[in-house]
């Protein structure tokens, strides 16, 4: 969702902002804009559509000399995507960009802005108008910002410029992600480290309802009461090349093929000096002492949670259930006596999951976040964190984060099981990494299968049972989100209860067969759809495979099969999307971090 970049320093800001915004494109957006201070004026350019439009209008930034500057990619929430609604929003004195949603707009308008007319349909404009109104009333920007924080409800990350004081820019944060980057003779603001990593790897974290005052040489952080906060910076171990596509045509393809490396990295990160898989003692204690694990997640992370619950139950005998965050938030089941809440989120910023986190923390329950982003909101707010070590995932379609989540959940389950764990998990995970590597080397054949089985069909089905069913849900999500082919994942046994009515000549059905106790049942479901004319592409596990199967994945421990069976489904989604000429890394209407609920 919306991306923010700010720069104050000796160089021209525009090219720096454009580059930073390009690193935030993965978050999803529909318009973009920048504001640059130059010779006593703040100049603004905003464009609907791709960032390339903004590059073009500003001639790569060179048509807009000056500094400081702020920039923004907008993902429309209040008001349709248009130049008028794009950020920055401005008054005669201030320019501001915003990520988040203001919840009490009516109250604020009535209380402070009843005589003000607005240029846009956005909630954001209210903040810049309040700033102007407070300063017109005699407040200094510093106190006006503190005043705004005390009045505005909702989520907001802001970067602000003041035409009368070009020697400062401001960063303000509540619930939406925002970092301050510290440089030598310059400073920056960014929605995440990737927007700034080209210039600095040293960052300050802002807590909710804090703000920062940046000059070229200083960063000062304050609470909403204007009290100075002493905060140590942290260094991000992020490599610039992690954020580049290299020779790959799309981030998604790169990220699919990084999966073996990610699994090996997880093994390494979670291995202790004795060579055993391990997790932090306190986490283990809480896991062992709870009577049930509640996994909370959305989308792909929810699909990983479904697998994780099975792992906890089958490897460690620990009761566990997975819930979709936005459902759990409004319809909480009767909880067990001693629950532990595990939040699974690639970004660590997902608003629906955070809403549950706030709720269960208020009730005093213990929380663990499994995330790819160190220092993310869900990580900071949980008692414990386990990291995925997957490296930045840029493509909106999640691939390596899914396998990383499953691998980390497997480590967690095996640690809870301890000596009773029926598997040598470390060994089995490395086998899975090797099998994935083998699957990646077959990518050309998936391209062919995607064309042959799905081609230009407008719909598609995934069927499977048990763990295969969970992978079907994930495979279907991937296919629909990037190719826009309507795809549904079904428990194979459910077909005859309704869905089979949709099967007709040439309907593409992708079946997954990797579970020993159900393979024959799924095979008979395959026959049922074949006899009604479906084109069936079968992904099976060697050992359970048949000659006519299209994709045979190497043998891995049965509980780890989702790690490997998912890989062909990722490729199939990728190649079908390519056939349909889709914007693979940035599918329509979607954002990478869904920071609004
Ligand atoms: O960052 P999170 O893991 O919390 O995100 C959850 C979902 O929004 C995410 O997995 C989404 O479903 C992906 N686009 C799927 O590829």
């Amino acid at each position: 969702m919306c991306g923010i970049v700010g720069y104050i320093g000796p160089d021209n800001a525009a090219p720096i902002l454009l580059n930073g915004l390009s690193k935030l494109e993965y978050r999803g957006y529909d318009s973009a804009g920048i504001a640059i201070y130059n010779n006593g004026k703040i100049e603004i350019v905003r464009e609907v559509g791709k960032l390339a439009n903004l590059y073009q209008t500003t001639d790569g930034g060179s048509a807009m000399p000056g500094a400081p500057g702020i920039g923004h990619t907008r993902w429309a929430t209040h008001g349709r995507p248009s130049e008028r609604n794009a950020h920055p929003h401005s008054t005669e004195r201030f320019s501001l960009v915003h990520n988040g949603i203001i919840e009490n707009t009516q109250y604020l308008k009535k209380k402070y802005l009843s005589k003000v007319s607005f240029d846009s349909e956005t909630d954001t404009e209210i903040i810049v108008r309040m700033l102007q109104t407070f300063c017109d009333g005699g407040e200094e920007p510093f106190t006006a910002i503190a005043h705004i924080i005390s009045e505005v409800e909702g989520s907001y990350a802001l970067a602000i410029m003041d035409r009368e004081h070009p020697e400062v820019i401001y960063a303000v944060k509540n619930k939406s992600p925002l970092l301050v980057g510290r440089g030598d003779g310059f400073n920056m603001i960014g929605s995440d480290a990737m927007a700034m990593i080209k210039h600095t790897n040293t960052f300050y974290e802002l807590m909710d309802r804090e703000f920062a005052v940046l000059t070229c040489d200083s960063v000062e952080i304050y609470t909403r009461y204007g009290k100075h906060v002493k905060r140590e910076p942290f260094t991000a171990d992020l490599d610039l090349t992690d954020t580049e596509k290299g020779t790959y045509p799309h981030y998604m393809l790169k990220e699919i093929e990084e999966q073996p490396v990610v699994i090996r990295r997880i093994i390494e990160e979670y291995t202790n000096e004795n060579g055993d898989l391990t997790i932090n003692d306190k986490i283990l204690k809480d896991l062992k002492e709870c009577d049930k694990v509640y996994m909370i997640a959305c989308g792909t992370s929810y699909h990983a949670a479904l697998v994780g619950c099975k792992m906890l139950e089958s490897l460690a005998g620990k009761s566990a259930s997975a819930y979709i965050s936005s459902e759990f938030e409004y319809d909480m089941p009767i909880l067990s006596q001693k629950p532990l809440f595990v939040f699974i989120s690639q970004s660590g910023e997902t608003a629906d999951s955070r809403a549950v986190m706030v709720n269960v923390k208020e009730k005093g329950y213990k929380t663990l976040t499994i995330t790819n982003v160190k220092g993310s909101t869900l990580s900071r707010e949980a008692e414990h964190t386990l990291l995925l070590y997957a490296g930045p995932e840029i493509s909106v379609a999640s691939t390596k984060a899914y396998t990383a989540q499953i691998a980390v959940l497997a480590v967690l389950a095996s640690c809870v099981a301890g000596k009773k764990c029926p598997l040598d998990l470390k060994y089995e995970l490395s086998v899975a990494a090797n099998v994935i590597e083998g699957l990646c080397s077959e990518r050309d054949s998936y391209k062919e299968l995607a064309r042959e089985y799905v081609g230009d069909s407008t719909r598609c089905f995934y069927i499977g049972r048990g763990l295969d069913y969970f992978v079907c849900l994930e495979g279907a999500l991937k296919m629909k989100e990037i190719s826009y082919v309507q795809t549904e994942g079904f428990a194979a046994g459910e077909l005859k209860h309704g869905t089979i009515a949709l099967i007709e000549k040439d309907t593409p059905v992708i079946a997954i067969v990797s579970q020993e106790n159900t393979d024959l049942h799924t095979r008979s479901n395959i026959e049922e759809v074949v006899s009604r004319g479906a084109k069936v592409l079968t992904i099976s596990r060697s050992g359970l495979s048949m000659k006519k199967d299209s994709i045979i994945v190497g043998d891995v421990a049965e509980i780890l099969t989702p790690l490997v069976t998912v890989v062909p489904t990722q490729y199939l989604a990728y190649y079908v999307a390519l056939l349909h000429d889709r914007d693979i890394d940035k599918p329509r209407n979607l954002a990478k971090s869904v920071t609004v609920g």
Side-chain angles (χ1 to χ4, degrees):
M1 310 229 125
C2 309
I4 288 178
V5 192
Y7 169 85
I8 183 160
D11 295 330
N12 284 329
I16 297 171
L17 299 180
L18 288 171
N19 179 270
L21 291 178
S22 73
K23 301 294 172 208
L24 297 176
E25 275 191 291
Y26 75 96
R27 299 165 73 91
Y29 69 102
D30 41 49
S31 54
I34 52 177
I36 304 289
Y37 176 84
N38 191 22
N39 274 333
K41 287 192 189 135
I42 294 178
E43 201 186 332
I44 298 199
V45 177
R46 305 183 294 197
E47 290 288 344
V48 176
K50 294 289 170 205
L51 194 59
N53 300 343
L54 194 61
Y55 264 98
Q56 203 176 17
T57 321
T58 61
D59 200 7
S62 60
M64 289 180 83
I70 55 178
H72 189 258
T73 44
R74 172 174 189 253
W75 196 83
T77 53
H78 286 58
R80 70 205 156 80
S82 65
E83 193 272 335
R84 185 162 87 94
N85 290 333
H87 301 207
H89 290 283
S90 303
T91 61
E92 51 278 25
R93 178 168 170 188
F94 297 101
S95 279
L96 168 155
V97 293
H98 167 221
N99 172 17
I101 291 187
I102 308 303
E103 286 161 6
N104 57 342
T105 49
Q106 292 314 325
Y107 161 82
L108 295 170
K109 272 188 180 175
K110 208 164 147 195
K111 184 164 176 189
Y112 296 111
L113 306 169
S114 55
K115 296 197 183 83
V116 172
S117 60
F118 289 83
D119 293 335
S120 75
E121 302 158 296
T122 65
D123 51 347
T124 304
E125 196 184 339
I126 291 171
I127 313 179
V128 76
R129 298 267 172 214
M130 280 170 72
L131 191 54
Q132 180 76 44
T133 305
F134 292 166
C135 291
D136 287 348
E139 292 183 35
E140 288 300 319
F142 184 93
T143 31
I145 288 171
H147 191 172
I148 283 170
I149 297 175
S150 70
E151 284 288 40
V152 174
E153 294 300 329
S155 53
Y156 48 87
L158 308 170
I160 304 172
M161 283 168 69
D162 178 354
R163 189 177 53 78
E164 291 182 13
H165 290 283
E167 72 285 2
V168 289
I169 55 173
Y170 302 91
V172 189
K173 180 195 177 302
N174 187 44
K175 297 185 196 166
S176 293
L178 197 67
L179 288 176
V180 172
R182 193 185 74 182
D184 189 4
F186 70 92
N187 286 302
M188 295 186 74
I189 300 169
S191 292
D192 64 36
M194 280 190 277
M196 302 177 272
I197 199 72
K198 188 172 176 200
H199 306 279
T200 178
N201 70 346
T202 307
F203 303 100
Y204 292 100
E205 212 179 303
L206 294 184
M207 301 303 168
D208 282 350
R209 294 185 188 265
E210 284 184 347
F211 66 103
V213 183
L214 285 72
T215 66
C216 294
D217 303 308
S218 66
V219 174
E220 302 295 343
I221 301 174
Y222 299 91
T223 69
R224 63 177 138 158
Y225 306 111
K227 192 164 172 274
H228 189 260
V229 176
K230 202 166 164 3
R231 171 107 3 103
E232 288 305 317
F234 69 93
T235 311
D237 40 5
L238 193 65
D239 187 331
L240 185 58
T241 54
D242 286 346
T243 67
E244 308 283 349
K245 279 203 294 264
T247 53
Y248 283 91
H250 297 100
Y251 283 106
M252 182 178 177
L253 193 59
K254 173 176 180 254
E255 288 160 7
I256 290 173
E257 301 198 346
E258 282 172 353
Q259 292 179 109
V261 174
V262 170
I263 293 179
R264 289 181 192 125
R265 196 183 303 143
I266 287 169
I267 298 172
E268 203 180 299
E269 291 287 347
Y270 286 99
T271 295
N272 65 15
E273 58 284 2
N274 302 325
D276 300 323
L277 287 174
T278 184
I279 57 170
N280 171 293
D281 286 349
K282 288 189 183 135
I283 302 179
L284 201 51
K285 183 165 173 285
D286 282 349
L287 276 160
K288 284 186 173 167
E289 285 178 356
C290 75
D291 61 0
K292 178 163 177 171
V293 171
Y294 292 77
M295 294 199 195
I296 310 291
C298 309
T300 289
S301 299
Y302 168 69
H303 298 152
L306 291 168
V307 176
C309 290
K310 272 276 174 285
M311 287 171 157
L312 265 175
E313 296 200 341
S314 70
L315 297 182
K318 177 65 80 182
S319 170
S321 295
Y323 295 88
I324 294 172
S325 312
S326 55
E327 287 296 311
F328 192 91
E329 190 184 344
Y330 300 104
D331 190 13
M332 206 183 278
I334 296 173
L335 299 178
S336 65
Q337 293 288 312
K338 215 170 171 205
L340 172 71
F341 284 87
V342 177
F343 292 83
I344 304 178
S345 173
Q346 187 286 130
S347 62
E349 300 294 346
T350 303
D352 288 332
S353 300
R354 184 173 187 252
V356 179
M357 165 86 75
V358 170
N359 190 340
V360 300
K361 276 184 64 179
E362 265 166 26
K363 293 185 166 61
Y365 296 128
K366 299 209 161 167
T367 50
L368 158 69
T369 291
I370 300 180
T371 183
N372 201 25
V373 184
K374 194 174 166 184
S376 57
T377 305
L378 287 173
S379 164
R380 283 201 315 273
E381 295 186 353
E383 275 175 270
H384 310 295
T385 295
L386 291 175
L387 290 175
L388 297 177
Y389 299 107
E393 190 181 64
I394 312 273
S395 174
V396 165
S398 185
T399 52
K400 62 176 177 172
Y402 171 83
T403 40
Q405 286 162 343
I406 290 177
V408 170
L409 284 163
V411 171
L412 180 145
S414 80
C415 292
V416 176
K419 292 204 162 51
K420 291 198 187 120
C421 184
L423 291 180
D424 176 353
L425 188 75
K426 200 171 158 186
Y427 169 74
E428 298 295 350
L429 280 175
S430 60
V431 170
N434 294 345
V435 169
I436 298 175
E437 211 156 62
L439 289 167
C440 293
S441 66
E442 302 286 320
R443 71 149 101 128
D444 289 344
S445 68
Y446 310 132
K447 188 174 183 177
E448 208 29 56
L449 290 169
R451 198 191 48 73
E452 187 183 336
Y453 282 86
V454 187
D456 49 19
S457 299
T458 52
R459 60 201 175 99
C460 176
F461 297 94
Y462 267 97
I463 59 168
R465 290 172 181 246
L467 289 170
D468 292 340
Y469 167 50
F470 299 154
V471 177
C472 286
L473 295 176
E474 174 54 14
L477 175 61
K478 214 84 320 169
M479 181 75 86
K480 68 185 129 189
E481 75 171 322
I482 60 165
S483 73
Y484 317 152
V485 172
Q486 186 182 356
T487 310
E488 303 307 331
F490 283 100
E494 275 289 290
L495 275 179
K496 56 185 170 294
H497 298 290
T499 311
I500 203 161
L502 295 171
I503 304 295
E504 53 189 12
K505 188 167 178 312
D506 288 339
T507 305
V509 175
I510 304 171
I512 305 183
V513 186
S514 79
Q515 305 298 299
E516 263 168 43
N517 61 339
T518 56
D519 65 322
L520 297 179
H521 298 287
T522 307
R523 293 279 178 196
S524 73
N525 299 131
I526 294 174
E527 289 313 315
E528 284 161 13
V529 292
V530 166
S531 64
R532 282 155 184 88
K535 277 193 291 192
V536 181
L537 183 165
T538 304
I539 301 170
S540 64
R541 174 155 69 103
S542 128
L544 302 179
S545 64
M546 292 178 125
K547 222 165 149 205
K548 59 185 177 187
D549 295 345
S550 311
I551 301 173
I552 299 173
V553 302
D555 234 341
V556 297
E558 192 154 285
I559 192 73
L560 297 184
T561 48
L563 285 177
V564 296
T565 51
V566 79
V567 175
T569 73
Q570 298 167 339
Y571 277 112
L572 289 170
Y574 176 81
Y575 285 117
V576 172
L578 202 63
L579 277 174
H580 288 249
D581 200 20
R582 304 299 189 207
D583 191 352
I584 292 184
D585 287 330
K586 289 172 255 143
R588 69 185 178 205
N589 304 337
L590 291 178
K592 184 66 181 166
S593 321
V594 186
T595 50
V596 293

